[in-house]
Amino acid sequence: MRVAATLPVTDRARIEGPDDAFDRLDAIGVIRHLAPHESLLLEGDCADRFHRVLSGTIAGYKATADGRRQIVAFFFPGDLVGLTVGDHYGYGAEAIGRASVCSILHTSMRELSRQTPALREDLLVALDREVAAAQERLMWLGRKTARERLACFLLECADRNGLPGKDGRKTVPLPMSQLDIGDYLGLASETVSRALAQLARDGAIEILRPFAGVVIRDRRRLETTMDEGAHPNGAGM
Amino acid sequence: MRVAATLPVTDRARIEGPDDAFDRLDAIGVIRHLAPHESLLLEGDCADRFHRVLSGTIAGYKATADGRRQIVAFFFPGDLVGLTVGDHYGYGAEAIGRASVCSILHTSMRELSRQTPALREDLLVALDREVAAAQERLMWLGRKTARERLACFLLECADRNGLPGKDGRKTVPLPMSQLDIGDYLGLASETVSRALAQLARDGAIEILRPFAGVVIRDRRRLETTMDEGAHPNGAGM
DNA sequence: CGACTGCTTGAGTCTGCTCAATAAAGGTGG
DNA sequence: CCACCTTTATTGAGCAGACTCAAGCAGTCG
């Protein structure tokens, strides 16, 4: 898990980071390359496989009939997309930019996990993490202001994909558009833009131009912004 | 899973509903009775056991330093509380009213699952359902209006705990307070009260007085309300 | 080098918030 | 059994955070 985001990836790219049994998945899967915005799977589709991200970023989303969209997760290299034991996917998924994945059929997976019991355990861990992540974000969406959500998001991204810099600074690549960030945080894209601008004005971050990420300039300040109080929607105090 | 909500429960109560391997858990667990608002586990505590709800309702929640609270799940009889493979709980949990649970140590669980491989599978299914539920609710909190969230919530409760009535009507017991519902839906309790009142005015539901649930009077109308459009926060169109 | 897409910024507005006061239940103890 | 206190639900008034709409500005790509 956890890699520098978008690296040129050869056909059999190795994901860096702590070795988990998932590395073995690459051997039984099929590589697929995705163009920007190309769909990987649709909500409600019959779930006969899942995908391991090799490069790029994948967005998992739910949509309503009238066009509203909620991104339920961003998947980075090493992450598993479309993991479920049900028979239908709970969310759709599409590539943010160019991306590549390794697709594993449930049937192949079952076979492999007979030989490698550790895989079952790791699957449990992966699902567990997904639960924790989703529940953490329920807190964001239900009880935090736009600024707080942004701060939480940036710190999460920093911890997952941040590139270390001098004296605690981190460059955080954000491959997704501000519209996508809004759909992830339950905000309008304009609100994302304004909140980012304000964090930059406050000296917490620096925005990379043209927009491609941020540099964390004052992590402490960002962390206090995560919980500064004020009130999610509506009114005064 | 799925039972009539609050029944007088004897020490070794049997949960109704489709037999799952979890019934076996009751044999290796310890019964515990909880008073209203009594805490079952704390967020961040060392996770050495989980709990199966026997009777009553349990709320799983996260809280910020400044007192904001987000309920991440309601647990009804048959549900598993505090299920994780990590070593710390991701949320706290407390009883809504009187409740009883069966507490299973991870060590006992491991032992039992060696004998009963089906348990491992069911655990996966349980976690998978938790993921799906949390992600569904991300959509509610991120992209739905107060009325829509309420409609979604009532229909979810109806499907889990609803008591069938004549011609499609269902009595839906709601053991939690409106404040709890608000903390579940990311709303103020006043907003819950107002949204319920409006649904009742529209003829979709009938509110049981004193507040203890609702009767679904027009399910079709509730279902269209789930997605009626309009816009989550803020402004006009 | 246009046409697009994505980001920024401004103006105005609505949803859901806070604060506040009242009413209705529930629990407790005399 | 009733008075009292606490907790929960209702309803009103007013406010503000985040929305929509709209215009303007880069960058990017064909």
Side-chain angles (χ1 to χ4, degrees):
Chain A
M1 301 271 189
R2 209 153 297 160
V3 78
T6 32
L7 299 168
V9 168
T10 60
D11 258 359
R12 283 280 160 183
R14 222 45 206 267
I15 303 299
E16 299 168 26
D19 266 331
D20 50 38
F22 289 150
D23 291 335
R24 307 209 177 187
L25 295 179
D26 298 346
I28 61 166
V30 174
I31 304 270
R32 179 168 164 199
H33 291 271
L34 298 166
H37 296 117
E38 189 174 343
S39 176
L40 179 59
L41 48 89
L42 296 173
E43 181 178 356
D45 263 13
C46 199
D48 61 339
R49 71 196 69 189
F50 63 92
H51 311 270
R52 183 166 140 98
V53 181
L54 297 176
S55 69
T57 307
I58 308 283
Y61 62 89
K62 283 171 165 286
T64 57
D66 57 324
R68 285 175 286 175
R69 198 173 71 131
Q70 174 67 44
I71 291 181
V72 298
F74 287 121
F75 299 98
F76 299 104
D79 292 344
L80 303 183
V81 184
L83 199 57
T84 178
V85 294
D87 28 58
H88 297 277
Y89 296 117
Y91 52 81
E94 66 175 46
I96 291 288
R98 295 173 108 279
S100 59
V101 300
C102 173
S103 304
I104 296 110
L105 288 169
H106 286 175
T107 52
S108 317
M109 179 63 187
R110 244 185 295 280
E111 200 172 325
L112 181 62
S113 65
R114 249 191 291 278
Q115 300 162 21
T116 319
L119 264 183
R120 282 192 123 27
E121 198 64 33
D122 285 350
L123 221 64
L124 224 60
V125 173
L127 271 178
D128 194 52
R129 268 205 272 263
E130 242 183 292
V131 173
Q135 290 179 344
E136 178 65 30
R137 295 191 27 256
L138 281 176
M139 181 67 168
W140 300 4
L141 300 197
R143 289 296 180 222
K144 287 185 186 274
T145 65
R147 251 194 323 290
E148 289 173 325
R149 290 180 214 185
L150 241 301
C152 291
F153 173 68
L154 292 177
L155 285 169
E156 181 196 67
C157 286
D159 292 338
R160 295 187 83 183
N161 307 321
L163 306 172
K166 52 188 89 181
D167 76 308
R169 288 190 183 195
K170 264 190 180 173
T171 298
V172 185
L174 297 174
M176 67 293 286
S177 70
Q178 293 188 16
L179 185 77
D180 289 331
I181 297 176
D183 284 345
Y184 184 66
L185 299 177
L187 301 171
S189 70
E190 295 94 327
T191 304
V192 172
S193 177
R194 280 186 255 261
L196 279 173
Q198 190 178 353
L199 287 174
R201 240 179 285 125
D202 293 348
I205 62 170
E206 195 172 311
I207 301 174
L208 300 177
R209 311 285 185 186
F211 184 78
V214 301
V215 177
I216 295 189
R217 184 195 275 270
D218 183 349
R219 190 187 171 94
R220 196 67 43 86
R221 184 184 282 274
L222 255 193
E223 281 166 352
T224 63
T225 304
M226 279 177 50
D227 263 281
E228 67 194 355
H231 305 281
N233 290 311
M237 319 192 45
Chain B
M1 304 269 189
R2 209 154 297 163
V3 78
T6 31
L7 298 168
V9 168
T10 59
D11 258 0
R12 284 278 162 186
R14 228 28 205 278
I15 304 297
E16 299 170 25
D19 267 329
D20 49 38
F22 288 149
D23 290 336
R24 306 209 179 187
L25 295 179
D26 298 345
I28 61 166
V30 173
I31 304 270
R32 181 169 162 198
H33 291 270
L34 299 165
H37 297 117
E38 188 174 343
S39 176
L40 179 59
L41 47 90
L42 296 174
E43 180 177 358
D45 263 12
C46 199
D48 62 339
R49 71 196 69 187
F50 63 92
H51 311 269
R52 183 167 140 97
V53 181
L54 296 178
S55 69
T57 308
I58 309 284
Y61 62 89
K62 283 169 164 288
T64 58
D66 57 324
R68 285 175 286 175
R69 198 173 72 130
Q70 174 67 43
I71 291 181
V72 299
F74 287 121
F75 299 99
F76 299 104
D79 293 344
L80 302 182
V81 183
L83 200 57
T84 178
V85 295
D87 28 58
H88 298 277
Y89 295 117
Y91 52 81
E94 66 175 46
I96 291 289
R98 296 174 107 278
S100 60
V101 300
C102 172
S103 304
I104 297 110
L105 288 168
H106 287 174
T107 53
S108 317
M109 180 64 187
R110 244 185 296 279
E111 200 173 325
L112 181 63
S113 66
R114 248 191 292 279
Q115 300 163 19
T116 319
L119 263 184
R120 282 191 125 24
E121 198 63 34
D122 285 350
L123 221 64
L124 223 61
V125 172
L127 272 178
D128 194 53
R129 268 205 274 263
E130 242 182 292
V131 172
Q135 290 179 343
E136 179 64 31
R137 295 193 26 256
L138 281 175
M139 180 65 163
W140 300 5
L141 300 198
R143 290 297 180 219
K144 288 187 187 270
T145 64
R147 247 193 328 287
E148 288 173 326
R149 290 179 212 184
L150 241 301
C152 291
F153 172 68
L154 292 178
L155 284 168
E156 182 195 68
C157 286
D159 292 339
R160 293 187 85 184
N161 306 321
L163 306 172
K166 55 188 87 180
D167 75 307
R169 289 191 181 193
K170 265 192 182 172
T171 298
V172 184
L174 297 173
M176 68 293 288
S177 70
Q178 293 188 17
L179 185 77
D180 289 330
I181 296 175
D183 283 345
Y184 184 67
L185 299 177
L187 301 170
S189 69
E190 296 93 327
T191 303
V192 172
S193 177
R194 279 187 256 260
L196 279 172
Q198 190 178 355
L199 287 174
R201 241 179 286 123
D202 293 350
I205 61 170
E206 194 172 312
I207 302 175
L208 300 177
R209 309 289 184 183
F211 185 77
V214 302
V215 177
I216 296 189
R217 184 195 275 270
D218 184 349
R219 190 186 172 96
R220 196 67 44 85
R221 183 184 283 272
L222 254 193
E223 281 166 352
T224 63
T225 304
M226 280 177 53
D227 262 278
E228 67 193 356
H231 305 280
N233 291 310
M237 321 190 50

